[in-house]
Amino acid sequence: MRLDVHGHRRIDRWITFVLRAGMILSVCVMVLGLLIYAFFPTQSSGTVSIQQLPSEILKGNGQAVLLVGILILIATPMARVLTALAVFIIDRDLKFIAICTLVLLTLLVAVLVRPH
Amino acid sequence: MEPLIAIGIIVAALLAGLIGSLFGVGGGIIISPVLTLVFNIPLKEAIGASLVGVIATSTGAASRYVSQGLVNIRLGMIMEPATVVGSIIGAATAILIQEFYLAAAFGILLLYGTYYMIRGPEATIHYRSPKEKLPDFCGIYYDGLERKTICYESRNIPKGIGASFGAGITSGLLGIGGGLIQVPVMNVWMGVPMRAATATSNFMIGVTALAGAIVFYVNGLIEPVLAGTVAVGIFLGAMLGAMLSQKITSANLRRYFALLTFIISILMFLKAFGLELGV
């Protein structure tokens, strides 16, 4: 482990950047979505499906914009894992490449879970 | 959603984000109960929105903690597969069982949290002197409050991974981050100083909550307006919390934490029995 007291290690820098970017982007889109929804509330309730998103956004559906922001937010931890993986690949740290891959695989499993 | 309700939710979320980032938790322990107790939102929808909120807390606070060098990224990542699997199981369970059980489980978890934090003095951490080559799970950072460089070595990693699995289950089940378990486990079992444990927990719970959020989302339990309102409020609170955290001592963090969990525990028991009575 490289020694650097003030947190300027590459992994810290890259992950900070990804988290901040994801945060700023998702907050901006969510606030936009909330404002649109506040001024032009839609009649439909419940979730908008992903296939409907592009058309709903063009229709000016605030909920759809909001959902995009939420999806960006949800994608940020995923992006963080991918960033860590990239750093570990550059550092050729096999142990942590394996661990990151394991995290990504288990996250993919989550998509398939539909309890009845 | 009524504007007044939206404002109320943003304020509640701001507090949740603030408290969450100060204590290394996701704020979910506040948001889920408040949404259901104060705003009468069905508990499962509240949990879905809360998971999104936990991701918001984690992202907001962790971006600061990582830049400060406090997060033990390797330590966090080795525990994450366990939290993800746990979170998936917890989320699936939450979707299947009745609300009464969820509310009661919340109450129990929070009592446990209170007890754990009150129980003993903060764990004595055996510091190491910084050397050129340190083992994988060592952490090193500059503590602004104590004005010195802290170097520590983590131990009991397998035990930590096991506990993380449990933390993951609570996360998916109740819409919390799991920091309630992660922080004491890291501090007491694994030898991580409180400040680093809080930071690392904040970092980890984003992925934990992500797993649960995915399950809730594909099962249609994330309502965009609710989740979005919670997320925006929590972001503001989390940023504030990470800024303040260097100014609060570790011993006080434990005390405030215990008080907080106790209060909410009582509230959730009341809710559970309210649900049981059909109130």
Side-chain angles (χ1 to χ4, degrees), chain B residues 11-151:
Chain B
V11 169
L14 195 140
L15 282 172
L18 177 66
I19 290 164
S21 72
L22 282 176
F23 298 141
V25 301
I29 49 168
I30 309 240
I31 276 292
S32 290
V34 166
L35 285 178
T36 191
L37 291 167
V38 177
F39 300 99
N40 270 322
I41 288 164
L43 192 49
K44 292 183 191 185
E45 262 184 52
I47 289 172
S50 176
L51 284 170
V52 173
V54 170
I55 297 174
T57 317
S58 171
T59 306
S63 66
R64 273 200 90 96
Y65 287 135
V66 172
S67 74
Q68 289 168 355
L70 281 167
V71 176
N72 194 329
I73 291 173
R74 281 174 165 78
L75 187 64
M77 296 222 63
I78 199 168
M79 297 195 283
E80 273 172 4
T83 69
V84 169
V85 172
S87 190
I88 292 172
I89 293 173
T93 307
I95 291 171
L96 287 170
I97 68 179
Q98 287 177 308
E99 276 199 14
F100 160 73
Y101 294 108
L102 288 178
F106 230 117
I108 294 170
L109 175 83
L110 288 162
L111 275 185
Y112 164 78
T114 308
Y115 158 76
Y116 205 103
M117 289 314 272
I118 291 174
R119 198 174 65 146
E122 181 175 319
T124 325
I125 307 299
H126 302 287
Y127 296 132
R128 296 175 53 118
S129 57
K131 293 193 307 241
E132 264 312 302
K133 187 90 178 103
L134 289 167
D136 263 340
F137 299 109
C138 279
I140 180 165
Y141 64 92
Y142 178 73
D143 188 323
L145 204 68
E146 296 187 36
R147 294 183 189 277
K148 62 182 192 216
T149 302
I150 310 264
C151 181

Side-chain angles (χ1 to χ4, degrees), chain A residues 95-115:
Chain A
K95 189 167 163 190
F96 283 92
I97 291 173
I99 290 169
C100 280
T101 311
L102 186 58
V103 173
L104 288 169
L105 287 174
T106 47
L107 284 171
L108 285 175
V109 167
V111 180
L112 305 168
V113 174
R114 278 170 214 260

Side-chain angles (χ1 to χ4, degrees), chain A residues 32-88:
Chain A
L32 183 65
L34 279 176
L35 288 173
I36 295 174
Y37 180 77
F39 290 113
F40 306 104
T42 51
Q43 302 300 71
S44 66
S45 58
T47 52
V48 176
S49 75
I50 295 196
Q51 294 96 315
Q52 293 172 317
L53 269 180
S55 59
E56 288 293 324
I57 291 173
L58 288 171
K59 271 194 245 171
N61 185 343
Q63 273 187 318
V65 177
L66 203 39
L67 191 55
V68 171
I70 290 170
L71 289 172
I72 295 173
L73 175 60
I74 289 180
T76 304
M78 183 80 85
R80 179 265 276 175
V81 177
L82 289 167
T83 306
L85 179 61
V87 174
F88 293 135

